[in-house]
């Protein structure tokens, strides 16, 4: 199976080499800012405290996602900045990335639900992983989005 050629790496920001950080930020900017024609503040101050899930083929970054721990004012873990390299689309890497991201959230924060802000056209994709819409559609950086949530792996008592 082709997916077996991909290595999964979970790192804090300080564990990323300068080249790894550059590759991750470049991929996110290439897709979210350039491809989607959406100028927005990619460097939002949330990467420093996040975990960064990366799929690598050899040393090449092919997909990544950001995992943020629950906050004091919100008990949910968050998955964001989900991105697959344009050169590697059509290989089910988005599926693999989401399975890994959910597994990491459930391992690290088992009593926390998982939230994400989905581009509306990807709502069915996220529903296939157990997420349900919890908001009306809204514009974020001029792109329609919907907030989605998946229940905690372990119900809190």
């Amino acid at each position: 199976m082709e997916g077996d050629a991909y290595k999964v790496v979970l790192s804090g920001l300080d564990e990323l080499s300068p080249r790894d950080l550059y590759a991750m930020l470049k991929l996110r900017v290439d897709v979210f800012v350039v491809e989607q024609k959406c100028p927005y503040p990619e460097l939002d101050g949330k990467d420093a405290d996040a975990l960064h899930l990366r799929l690598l083929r050899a040393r090449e970054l092919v997909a990544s996602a950001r995992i943020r721990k629950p906050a004091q004012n919100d008990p949910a873990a968050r998955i964001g900045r989900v991105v697959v390299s344009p050169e590697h689309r059509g290989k089910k890497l988005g599926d693999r990335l989401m399975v890994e991201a959910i597994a990491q959230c459930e391992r690290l924060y088992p009593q926390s639900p998982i939230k994400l802000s989905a581009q509306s056209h990807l709502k069915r994709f996220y529903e296939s992983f157990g997420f349900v819409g919890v908001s009306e559609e809204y514009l974020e950086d001029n792109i329609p989005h919907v907030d989605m949530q998946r229940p905690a792996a372990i119900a809190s008592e």
Side-chain angles (χ1 to χ4, degrees):
M1 181 170 160
E2 187 173 352
D4 294 339
Y6 299 96
K7 179 179 177 184
V8 178
V9 181
L10 183 68
S11 316
L13 189 68
D14 293 338
E15 299 166 279
L16 295 171
S17 74
R19 287 186 185 274
D20 292 339
L21 176 61
Y22 177 86
M24 183 181 71
L25 295 176
K26 182 177 185 327
L27 175 59
R28 289 174 10 185
V29 168
D30 285 352
V31 171
F32 298 136
V33 177
V34 178
E35 180 182 319
Q36 296 182 355
K37 297 176 178 61
C38 180
Y40 77 105
E42 169 56 32
L43 301 177
D44 61 2
K46 297 176 182 172
D47 285 312
D49 295 327
L51 292 171
H52 302 279
L53 182 66
R54 296 174 296 137
L55 295 185
L56 304 172
R57 184 167 192 196
R59 296 186 66 196
E60 178 188 9
L61 176 66
V62 297
S64 72
R66 178 168 76 181
I67 297 172
R68 292 177 33 226
K69 65 184 174 186
Q72 278 187 320
N73 61 346
D74 184 355
R78 291 192 161 273
I79 297 174
R81 300 295 202 265
V82 176
V83 63
V84 174
S85 168
E87 294 82 26
H88 293 275
R89 291 187 186 147
K91 300 175 183 178
K92 299 286 187 188
L93 294 177
D95 291 4
R96 172 112 186 246
L97 187 65
M98 284 305 298
V99 166
E100 295 288 347
I102 291 165
Q104 292 297 333
C105 286
E106 289 181 341
R107 179 181 67 84
L108 295 165
Y109 318 112
Q111 294 185 328
S112 296
I114 305 169
K115 288 184 179 178
L116 55 79
S117 175
Q119 291 186 7
S120 294
H121 73 279
L122 294 171
K123 186 177 179 195
R124 291 181 78 193
F125 170 74
Y126 291 114
E127 286 173 340
S128 73
F129 297 99
F131 287 87
V132 295
V134 294
S135 77
E136 295 295 321
E137 186 175 81
Y138 59 91
L139 285 180
E140 182 176 316
D141 302 314
N142 243 5
I143 295 175
H145 281 72
V146 62
D147 290 335
M148 301 188 79
Q149 184 167 309
R150 177 185 163 98
I154 299 172
S156 53
E157 298 174 12

